[in-house]
Amino acid sequence: MPEGFVQRHGSISELRKKVDSLLSGVEGKKILFAGCGDGMECESAIRKGAKVIGIDISDKLIGLANKELGDRADFRVMAQGKLRFKGSSFDNIVSILSVMYEKDLTKILREFGRVLKRNGFIVLVAPHPIQKMVKYSKGNYFVRGKKFEAFRGGRRFNYYRLLEDYFDSIIGARLKVEKVL
């Protein structure tokens, strides 16, 4: 989770509960967790009987996911923008705070749309742009771009986007929004 996210938005378990509430009736469904990290976001869907495939670009995090949950799910090192799956492979896709690390959001969402079955849905969790505006641009909402930040003793980046950038990418990927939480 982004540094400070828990303090502003409640516990990580609260975020997972919100995502979990959108994943009812998933028994036997094939779900892709994109940017799954150590796999902990996958646990509830696994318990509910979903067929889970988790991907992340970090071989270290996929190693942790395989160690903890690999006997109950399939975890692979893979980039979100280059999914090595046939079209219409997944009933649902879940992406929790991972698209903010991707430069071309429309490309990522098109890939999600390509591998999503007809009538499937995507759960996309992204930080609200106001949060990043305060952090990166001294109150100027309209400053976009790649931003670096200190995180857990290291340094990481993400792409700061305006709210309309998310909607433009969703429209550009020919997806539709059904619910905003």
Side-chain angles (χ1 to χ4, degrees):
M1 297 290 143
E3 193 170 321
F5 184 89
V6 172
Q7 290 81 11
R8 289 187 294 278
H9 302 286
S11 72
I12 293 169
S13 65
E14 288 177 39
L15 174 64
R16 288 182 179 153
K17 283 179 189 175
K18 284 184 180 187
V19 171
D20 188 51
S21 73
L22 299 171
L23 296 176
S24 60
V26 297
E27 184 175 352
K29 303 272 184 178
K30 192 172 177 185
I31 302 177
L32 174 66
F33 279 79
C36 70
D38 64 5
M40 292 302 110
E41 279 107 12
C42 306
E43 265 190 306
S44 178
I46 293 168
R47 276 196 313 274
K48 290 179 176 184
K51 298 173 186 169
V52 170
I53 296 179
I55 64 162
D56 200 283
I57 198 154
S58 169
D59 56 346
K60 181 179 179 182
L61 291 174
I62 289 297
L64 292 171
N66 275 315
K67 181 180 177 186
E68 295 299 320
L69 300 166
D71 59 332
R72 298 182 289 152
D74 181 3
F75 295 100
R76 306 175 189 183
V77 176
M78 190 181 305
Q80 296 179 88
K82 297 179 183 175
L83 299 175
R84 296 184 307 268
F85 302 108
K86 292 179 183 177
S88 302
S89 295
F90 295 95
D91 296 293
N92 307 112
I93 299 172
V94 178
S95 174
I96 300 175
L97 299 171
S98 66
V99 297
M100 62 193 210
Y101 302 108
E102 301 287 351
K103 183 176 184 178
D104 189 343
L105 181 59
T106 303
K107 176 183 174 184
I108 301 303
L109 294 177
R110 281 187 183 134
E111 268 297 273
F112 288 177
R114 182 184 69 76
V115 301
L116 187 66
K117 290 180 181 177
R118 185 177 177 92
N119 298 319
F121 64 85
I122 299 168
V123 176
L124 181 68
V125 178
H128 194 287
I130 294 294
Q131 172 189 350
K132 297 297 181 180
M133 175 197 72
V134 170
K135 186 171 190 171
Y136 296 134
S137 56
K138 298 179 175 84
N140 184 352
Y141 176 77
F142 297 99
V143 175
R144 294 175 168 94
K146 188 175 188 177
K147 304 294 179 181
F148 290 86
E149 64 186 359
F151 182 74
R152 296 183 181 168
R155 192 174 154 183
R156 69 173 181 187
F157 71 90
N158 61 67
Y159 289 90
Y160 170 68
R161 295 181 175 95
L162 309 182
L163 188 58
E164 54 263 38
D165 296 334
Y166 285 98
F167 282 96
D168 287 346
S169 289
I170 291 166
I171 292 165
R174 298 181 183 204
L175 300 170
K176 65 180 181 177
V177 174
E178 290 193 12
K179 187 171 192 164
V180 177
L181 297 176

